[in-house]
Amino acid sequence: MESGAVNDGGEGTGRATRSKRADARRNEKTLLDAAAAIFVAAGVDAPVRDIAARAGVGVGTIYRHFPTRSDLIIAVYRHQVEACAEAGPALLETSPTPHVALARWIDLFVDFLVTKHGLAGVLQSDNTGFEALHTYFLDRLVPVCTQLLDAAVASGEIRSELRAYELMRGVGNLCVGAESDPRYDARRLVGLLVAGLRGPN
């Protein structure tokens, strides 16, 4: 037997396993991105076949990953939270000023709030599950918002008295009801709020 043809110490198997895991993560991200986009456009009750079509997979693939609609919605929620959390430090690195980074992050946060619409209704029979998600949301995003605020305060761009939780709660309140009234532009009002954080010149 050719020794070089078989025994690689398991390295080939390990690489194949890692490759499969990476593929699985990419496939799941594709599904969750597609679901998030459909939820924004049509709500959390949108047909699974629409999500499958956008993701370029069969309906069965969705159900293999997420057996129930609640499983899918919770996964989208967590996926969007993670994307929003990871964006904060990246925006601080790439934006011209901390205030611009904060404004861009708040835009992403508003997008997240739109995606989140309908979650409470789906989970109303599972208050424990909803409370766990809310805690997860705060644990992941409040520190990111705090980092952005602290950077903007340190640069002298904004006032120092606002806390991250207050800002996020205020943005959330401005977004309430926006989906049911086409005359109400929540994003414009949120933009005014963020602009108003600047200290007096």
Side-chain angles (χ1 to χ4, degrees):
M1 184 176 351
E2 296 285 341
S3 60
V6 290
N7 186 7
D8 63 357
E11 291 179 6
T13 301
R15 284 194 296 270
T17 299
R18 287 192 295 272
S19 178
K20 287 180 181 178
R21 287 174 181 167
D23 287 345
R25 285 193 296 270
R26 281 194 296 271
N27 292 341
E28 182 169 308
K29 181 180 184 302
T30 298
L31 290 178
L32 293 175
D33 285 340
I38 293 295
F39 288 169
V40 169
V44 295
D45 294 322
V48 172
R49 64 178 177 274
D50 292 352
I51 298 170
R54 186 179 182 95
V57 301
V59 171
T61 300
I62 303 260
Y63 284 119
R64 279 197 300 275
H65 283 82
F66 311 106
T68 70
R69 183 174 292 270
S70 290
D71 291 334
L72 177 59
I73 292 170
I74 290 170
V76 168
Y77 182 95
R78 286 180 168 271
H79 177 61
Q80 295 297 94
V81 168
E82 288 303 315
C84 202
E86 292 169 4
L91 286 170
L92 274 178
E93 288 289 330
T94 58
S95 298
T97 70
H99 184 267
V100 171
L102 175 64
R104 290 173 176 172
W105 187 81
I106 291 295
D107 271 346
L108 295 176
F109 183 57
V110 171
D111 289 340
F112 165 77
L113 293 177
V114 174
T115 302
K116 190 172 76 70
H117 174 66
L119 178 72
V122 174
L123 297 180
Q124 62 186 355
S125 61
D126 183 7
N127 290 330
T128 301
F130 181 72
E131 289 172 4
L133 281 178
H134 184 65
T135 299
Y136 167 75
F137 160 82
L138 292 177
D139 287 347
R140 288 295 285 133
L141 295 188
V142 170
V144 175
C145 189
T146 298
Q147 180 186 16
L148 289 159
L149 280 173
D150 287 349
V153 169
S155 70
E157 293 181 279
I158 68 171
R159 300 178 177 89
S160 62
E161 66 269 18
L162 185 66
R163 293 181 299 170
Y165 177 79
E166 293 172 321
L167 175 59
M168 292 169 61
R169 184 68 182 267
V171 170
N173 288 341
L174 286 174
C175 291
V176 171
E179 72 281 352
S180 61
D181 186 352
R183 298 172 299 174
Y184 179 66
D185 188 349
R187 192 177 295 279
R188 186 178 73 86
L189 291 179
V190 170
L192 291 173
L193 170 64
V194 175
L197 296 178
R198 287 187 178 276
N201 292 327

